[in-house]
Amino acid sequence: MNLTLKVWRQKDESSKGRMVDYKVTDISEHMSFLEMMDVLNEQLINTGEEPVAFDHDCREGICGMCSMYINGEAHGPDRGVTTCQLHMRMFKDGDTITIEPFRAAAFPVIKDLVVDRSSFERIQQAGGYISVNTSGNTQDANAIPISKHAADEAMDAATCIGCGACVATCKNSSAMLFVGAKVSQYALLPQGQVEAADRVKNMVAQMDLEGFGNCTNTGACEIECPKGISLENIARMNRELMKATFK
Amino acid sequence: MALNSKVPKGPIKDKWTDYKNHIDLVNPANKRNIDIIVVGTGLAGGSACATLAELGYNVKAFAYQDSPRRAHSIAAQGGINAAKNYQGDGDSTYRLFYDTVKGGDYRSREANVYRLAEVSANIIDQCVAQGVPFARDYGGLLDNRSFGGVLVSRTFYAKGQTGQQLLLGAYSAMNRQIARGKIEMFNRHEMLDVVKVDGKARGIIARNLITGEIERHSAHAVVIASGGYGNVYFLSTNAMGSNATAAWKIHKKGAYFANPCYTQIHPTCIPRSGDYQSKLTLMSESLRNDGRIWVPKNMDDVKAIREGRKKPTDLSEDERDYYLERRYPAFGNLVPRDVASRAAKERCDAGYGVNATGEAVYLDFKSAIERYGREQAKIHGIDNPSEAKIYELGQAIVEEKYGNLFQMYEKIVDQNPYKTPMMIYPATHYTMGGVWVDYNLMTTVDGLYCIGEANFSDHGANRLGASALMQGLADGYFVLPYTIGDYLSGDIRTGKIPTDTKEFDEAENEVKSRIDFFINNKGEHSVDYYHKKLGKIMWEKCGMSRNEKGLKEAMSEIKELREDFWKNVTVPGNADEMNPELEKAGRVADFLELGELFAKDALERNESCGGHFREESVELDGEQKGEAKRNDKDFAFVSAWEYKGEPADAVLHKEELEFNDIELKQRSYK
């Protein structure tokens, strides 16, 4: 199929960006969206232009690196996928596709479609861990029995890939689905209890400091999340924060 | 230089304990004065950073992505092995050691593998303490499953996302140390050279991938944990950014490169669908616990399927050739990866491949779904359940076990694998070769270490499933933190290593002139043009089966391609900005050298072993007729290559492998 792409081009964080139109031809419906971008870039290189910078790595939906905003949706029109798992069979011959970087004050643009998500790093560093000595002298793993239900629920929360689609799609640029997922994973496990109150307070404080907005229960984040992280995690985070505040 | 593996004396079961009891330690107050650079923050690098910082060293960590959480360890699906024997099915340290050495076709170092098996149980304890949500049974205890090449259930898992959860565990431990200031994290940085002072590794030159700035970083020791070089094939299951640069650069500075021709071909990948394809996607090996592999028995059916006249589900049991179960009754679909890969290629080469390219076999879950469905019907007290009900109940169980993999398959192939069998084909996955290290995980350069997939020592010529995660974490959490202390105890009075010295000047100038070349060359072909060509040569001539003629051709073709690359490559953009093409150019330049050494190593090794079928070395008769023939008399060694300029001029050093605790014998999975 033949397509028209409207792509956001921006030299660096301090430059002004703009939309540029490109045509691509002979796109196979079996290509992933990123493979279609490879075709565009090969074309640009061959005509002496600079290729479009975009983040990507594993190309199997798990690293969380790819981050395009396609036709007004984070990771594009399909559900439950990252951009690398989005296939061109979702589009039709002759379509015009708009491609932009994730937009949020806490995710500044580095170049073209590449954004800086290090705010997520700092939130994790504020407490997204269990303070266990990594010396290997821990107790036997089966000495901490965990109900299957709790382990499965913790796993569901831990499935978050930190891609930032939740932020990009939220009208408030809220990071509460991401932070809620991290808080939930540890809140559901016995290992995480000891420092649970400090963890949630510190992570939420850092989230606010980074300039993410608040949650107004729109639920777009859950719909756009490639890993199906549930809003329940936000509720759980709020409960944890409440508990921690009144402790 | 003669290779000294520094394997401690004494009985194998006491080696590691005795070693730890006798090494020199660094006192906690002195650790504060010692800096360590770690390049790569996947499972091996991330766990090493966390533990070294915990011990009190100052760690500087480098990752090319924007976060350690994105390292490709995150994509490992199936699980991590540990000799816990929770299942009571006869597992032990010795048995894990034995399976690993046998699975690697007796080409790994015995003492290293024993140590790996020994610390494996600690890994699980530590990860659980970190909050890794491993699968649990209804009693609240850890669940296990089985993997190819073994007869016990020793694999711990977190759905089909075990690598992700283990990496996030190591990453969270890193975050704790970053917050404490014990790890200084350099995201979006790439190491472009190592700096040696008086023969010792004392720092690196790195490029800030956002600003393009070239930086100098010094330390008392340097650890390379940069993963494997599977992308030398262009198409592989590796992440697009996975590269060999750090490992290759240290090779050029004196670290020997071992067994470059050992690469694992993984049997369960989604087949290639066209020339535009950028990478291959793996389906976890754990699927072979429940999936049965087959191709049609009759060529007419193959033809009908390819032409769309028949569906795989139209074929009766009699019309299917479950070739693994037929050839290897004891292990069936659970034979090791190399055996399963070769068997699939054999069937496809014989014309039985089931997709348009003829490069696919079926992985079928129908019998598992029915088996689970009947079991569930019993559990739920449903008498005489209908076929549909059985299917519904069974599908729920399969979904619970492998749901994310099935979803991934459906997204890519646009077929529902619950209803029709998956199509799979072997693809390049993990590299067992890598930088040569001694028992201390030190390379042939003093103070320069190499851990995880980037080194060579533990998997021999073939890696068993669920062992990569185990080695990464064993090296990072439990082995390196001891061995590096022994070395660093000599450095407590050294003080900060200055970066304004001639050694740093020289290394930086070299890096800069290479970048300048790329930016100014303005040739006519893109970097990918060369990478794809290299990949084609590698797959066709250095792939699953190899012969002398093909390997010699590969060597000269790669050399020619490399010369053309240095004349005609084009890199758009500038050096002082984010420039993904420039990053790729440097990496492909390295692959163009490594690829030739790979072919040279394969040429030297005139035996079939692991996943590497040398056409000149095959069993001619007996029970093993047609199977790969290993040659222990002439090839029970590690090939360690010394850099001498052109890859063709590399000098071979041999580390003879000694097997004192395991008898070398033919692998048989019959």
Side-chain angles (χ1 to χ4, degrees), chain A residues 11 28-32 34-35 38-39 41-42 44-46 48-66 78-81 84-87 89 110-111 114-118 120-122 124-152 154-164 178 182 185-186 189 191-192 195 226-227, chain B residues 47 50-52 54 64-72 74-75 77 84 86 122 124-142 158-161 164-165 168-169 171-179 185 187-188 210 237-242 273 276-282 400 407-408 410-414 477-478 482 524-529 532 570 572-574 576-581 584:
Chain A
K11 192 177 168 11
S28 152
E29 60 168 18
H30 297 296
M31 283 183 189
S32 72
L34 298 186
E35 282 164 351
D38 293 341
V39 171
N41 276 347
E42 194 68 15
L44 291 175
I45 294 166
N46 288 334
E49 278 185 72
E50 251 199 83
V52 180
F54 61 91
D55 265 335
H56 65 103
D57 202 19
C58 80
R59 297 210 175 184
E60 47 189 281
I62 191 77
C63 76
M65 193 80 172
C66 58
D78 203 356
R79 287 289 156 267
V81 295
C84 63
Q85 294 173 300
L86 175 69
H87 277 72
R89 63 180 79 96
I110 295 175
K111 181 174 188 169
V114 179
V115 298
D116 178 359
R117 284 168 285 187
S118 53
F120 273 15
E121 300 292 290
R122 292 185 290 272
Q124 294 259 80
Q125 285 152 20
Y129 47 78
I130 288 171
S131 298
V132 59
N133 190 319
T134 51
S135 63
N137 293 319
T138 49
Q139 62 187 321
D140 182 82
N142 263 350
I144 314 172
I146 300 171
S147 82
K148 179 165 167 40
H149 181 69
D152 286 351
M155 178 65 211
D156 288 345
T159 301
C160 169
I161 55 173
C163 66
F178 168 76
K182 286 321 292 179
Q185 179 196 341
Y186 296 124
L189 295 171
Q191 305 94 305
E195 49 192 339
K227 297 296 158 188
Chain B
S47 57
T51 301
L52 292 171
E54 179 91 55
Y64 75 78
Q65 294 101 334
D66 67 340
S67 163
R69 70 170 295 143
R70 313 221 194 266
H72 199 53
I74 203 154
Q77 296 164 345
K84 281 282 207 181
Y86 282 156
N122 297 47
I124 305 302
D125 297 341
Q126 175 147 313
C127 294
V128 167
Q130 285 171 344
V132 172
F134 281 118
R136 299 273 169 167
D137 62 23
Y138 284 99
L141 303 179
L142 289 153
K159 279 202 174 158
Q161 288 137 279
Q164 178 194 30
Q165 292 312 315
L168 294 182
Y171 167 62
S172 71
M174 278 184 81
N175 277 330
R176 176 165 164 255
Q177 301 298 338
I178 294 171
M185 187 67 225
N187 291 319
R188 292 200 198 258
I210 297 179
T237 64
N238 290 12
M240 296 290 284
S242 294
S273 67
Y276 54 81
Q277 196 141 346
S278 58
K279 72 154 287 182
L280 296 167
T281 301
L282 185 72
E400 165 130 329
Q407 185 228 14
M408 190 160 86
E410 187 167 359
K411 287 289 175 197
I412 292 173
V413 183
D414 204 23
Y477 281 140
F478 300 122
Y482 280 101
E524 52 181 329
H525 296 301
S526 70
V527 176
D528 273 359
Y529 166 90
K532 284 181 180 172
T570 188
N574 298 305
D576 59 351
E577 61 179 1
M578 174 174 264
N579 189 340
E581 282 299 306
K584 263 200 296 194

Side-chain angles (χ1 to χ4, degrees), chain A:
Chain A
M1 52 184 136
N2 301 326
L3 304 163
T4 303
L5 308 175
K6 291 183 170 303
V7 186
W8 183 260
R9 302 300 310 257
Q10 182 173 338
K11 192 177 168 11
D12 52 35
E13 191 181 339
S14 52
S15 305
K16 204 165 169 257
R18 64 191 178 100
M19 300 299 290
V20 180
D21 286 8
Y22 300 104
K23 299 252 185 241
V24 283
T25 53
D26 293 330
I27 299 299
S28 152
E29 60 168 18
H30 297 296
M31 283 183 189
S32 72
F33 198 86
L34 298 186
E35 282 164 351
M36 185 276 294
M37 293 297 290
D38 293 341
V39 171
L40 169 68
N41 276 347
E42 194 68 15
Q43 191 179 307
L44 291 175
I45 294 166
N46 288 334
T47 53
E49 278 185 72
E50 251 199 83
V52 180
F54 61 91
D55 265 335
H56 65 103
D57 202 19
C58 80
R59 297 210 175 184
E60 47 189 281
I62 191 77
C63 76
M65 193 80 172
C66 58
S67 55
M68 290 176 199
Y69 205 65
I70 301 160
N71 286 345
E73 288 182 273
H75 299 302
D78 203 356
R79 287 289 156 267
V81 295
T82 51
T83 308
C84 63
Q85 294 173 300
L86 175 69
H87 277 72
M88 296 312 292
R89 63 180 79 96
M90 297 299 292
F91 300 90
K92 289 194 305 293
D93 187 32
D95 274 0
T96 297
I97 306 175
T98 307
I99 309 168
E100 300 161 272
F102 280 6
R103 291 188 193 283
F107 288 171
V109 173
I110 295 175
K111 181 174 188 169
D112 296 339
L113 304 173
V114 179
V115 298
D116 178 359
R117 284 168 285 187
S118 53
S119 45
F120 273 15
E121 300 292 290
R122 292 185 290 272
I123 293 172
Q124 294 259 80
Q125 285 152 20
Y129 47 78
I130 288 171
S131 298
V132 59
N133 190 319
T134 51
S135 63
N137 293 319
T138 49
Q139 62 187 321
D140 182 82
N142 263 350
I144 314 172
I146 300 171
S147 82
K148 179 165 167 40
H149 181 69
D152 286 351
E153 245 190 314
M155 178 65 211
D156 288 345
T159 301
C160 169
I161 55 173
C163 66
C166 48
V167 173
T169 202
C170 175
K171 62 186 181 195
N172 310 321
S173 296
S174 166
M176 280 174 81
L177 195 68
F178 168 76
V179 183
K182 286 321 292 179
V183 167
S184 286
Q185 179 196 341
Y186 296 124
L188 285 159
L189 295 171
Q191 305 94 305
Q193 296 311 316
V194 180
E195 49 192 339
D198 286 339
R199 176 182 306 116
V200 68
K201 280 195 279 191
N202 293 339
M203 288 181 80
V204 168
Q206 187 66 34
M207 173 178 79
D208 291 342
L209 202 66
E210 295 290 346
F212 291 102
N214 251 314
C215 174
T216 47
N217 296 314
T218 313
C221 54
E222 184 185 76
I223 295 169
E224 295 291 350
C225 174
K227 297 296 158 188
I229 306 290
S230 135
L231 280 180
E232 233 177 278
N233 293 299
I234 296 184
R236 195 181 289 111
M237 179 180 79
N238 285 333
R239 274 201 307 276
E240 289 290 315
L241 186 62
M242 201 77 101
K243 261 195 323 202
T245 316
F246 291 118
K247 210 169 174 178

Side-chain angles (χ1 to χ4, degrees), chain B residues 425-441:
Chain B
Y425 194 70
T428 306
H429 181 49
Y430 183 94
T431 49
M432 283 78 62
V435 178
W436 187 90
V437 290
D438 62 18
Y439 188 75
N440 303 323
L441 305 182

Side-chain angles (χ1 to χ4, degrees), chain B residues 238-549:
Chain B
N238 290 12
M240 296 290 284
S242 294
N243 62 81
T245 289
W248 195 250
K249 289 291 160 36
I250 67 168
H251 171 56
K252 290 173 102 165
K253 285 280 167 81
Y256 291 2
F257 206 95
N259 299 336
C261 81
Y262 286 167
T263 175
Q264 179 159 76
I265 312 288
H266 198 291
T268 51
C269 270
I270 300 181
R272 200 168 70 88
S273 67
D275 285 338
Y276 54 81
Q277 196 141 346
S278 58
K279 72 154 287 182
L280 296 167
T281 301
L282 185 72
M283 292 279 104
S284 166
E285 188 183 22
S286 64
L287 293 173
R288 289 199 280 140
N289 271 313
D290 283 314
R292 296 177 71 194
I293 294 175
W294 63 276
V295 291
K297 259 187 200 157
N298 307 314
M299 201 54 100
D300 289 346
D301 288 331
V302 174
K303 227 173 135 218
I305 286 176
R306 282 199 205 166
E307 288 166 5
R309 286 182 286 117
K310 268 190 179 175
K311 293 204 290 278
T313 44
D314 294 338
L315 265 57
S316 70
E317 285 293 300
D318 292 352
E319 294 168 322
R320 301 171 175 199
D321 175 15
Y322 294 98
Y323 57 86
L324 288 176
E325 297 168 39
R326 167 169 62 79
R327 286 176 62 176
Y328 309 101
F331 283 73
N333 292 296
L334 283 174
V335 291
R337 293 172 172 186
D338 58 329
V339 178
S341 296
R342 263 204 314 280
K345 184 168 189 292
E346 190 275 328
R347 282 292 78 194
C348 290
D349 287 351
Y352 291 88
V354 293
N355 65 351
T357 59
E359 292 185 338
V361 299
Y362 287 127
L363 176 63
D364 196 336
F365 291 86
K366 184 158 174 282
S367 358
I369 291 176
E370 278 173 10
R371 190 177 72 239
Y372 287 124
R374 283 182 206 290
E375 195 179 294
Q376 287 297 307
K378 271 222 162 59
I379 292 171
H380 293 90
I382 305 169
D383 292 330
N384 298 321
S386 67
E387 286 298 312
K389 187 73 195 170
I390 289 172
Y391 212 81
E392 179 198 320
L393 292 168
Q395 180 171 330
I397 300 293
V398 170
E399 196 173 342
E400 165 130 329
K401 290 178 112 167
Y402 314 112
N404 66 310
L405 301 171
F406 276 53
Q407 185 228 14
M408 190 160 86
Y409 182 86
E410 187 167 359
K411 287 289 175 197
I412 292 173
V413 183
D414 204 23
Q415 285 181 359
N416 179 348
Y418 294 103
K419 298 223 156 66
T420 185
M422 283 184 182
M423 286 181 290
I424 54 162
Y425 194 70
T428 306
H429 181 49
Y430 183 94
T431 49
M432 283 78 62
V435 178
W436 187 90
V437 290
D438 62 18
Y439 188 75
N440 303 323
L441 305 182
M442 201 202 278
T443 67
T444 41
V445 175
D446 269 357
L448 184 56
Y449 290 78
C450 189
I451 61 177
E453 187 181 350
N455 77 22
F456 87 101
S457 55
D458 293 12
H459 305 301
N462 174 51
R463 177 175 64 77
L464 286 180
S467 292
L469 306 182
M470 175 173 68
Q471 191 218 339
L473 291 180
D475 284 0
Y477 281 140
F478 300 122
V479 179
L480 181 79
Y482 280 101
T483 60
I484 205 169
D486 188 38
Y487 171 79
L488 290 171
S489 63
D491 258 328
I492 56 173
R493 290 184 193 84
T494 307
K496 272 260 174 265
I497 311 290
T499 56
D500 55 350
T501 57
K502 71 172 194 323
E503 290 87 353
F504 275 91
D505 288 346
E506 282 166 14
E508 184 177 315
N509 287 338
E510 228 174 283
V511 165
K512 280 187 166 159
S513 66
R514 190 158 144 129
I515 289 173
D516 286 347
F517 168 82
F518 284 132
I519 294 296
N520 296 318
N521 192 49
K522 305 294 173 218
E524 52 181 329
H525 296 301
S526 70
V527 176
D528 273 359
Y529 166 90
Y530 289 99
H531 198 176
K532 284 181 180 172
K533 285 202 161 203
L534 173 67
K536 202 156 184 296
I537 300 171
M538 294 301 295
W539 182 250
E540 280 171 4
K541 296 182 172 162
C542 311
M544 286 168 71
S545 63
R546 305 151 179 193
N547 60 47
E548 185 184 336
K549 182 168 163 285

Side-chain angles (χ1 to χ4, degrees), chain B residues 64 190 207 209 245 578-588:
Chain B
Y64 75 78
E190 182 164 33
R207 179 169 182 268
L209 300 181
T245 289
M578 174 174 264
N579 189 340
E581 282 299 306
L582 175 62
E583 294 165 29
K584 263 200 296 194
R587 294 166 187 170
V588 171

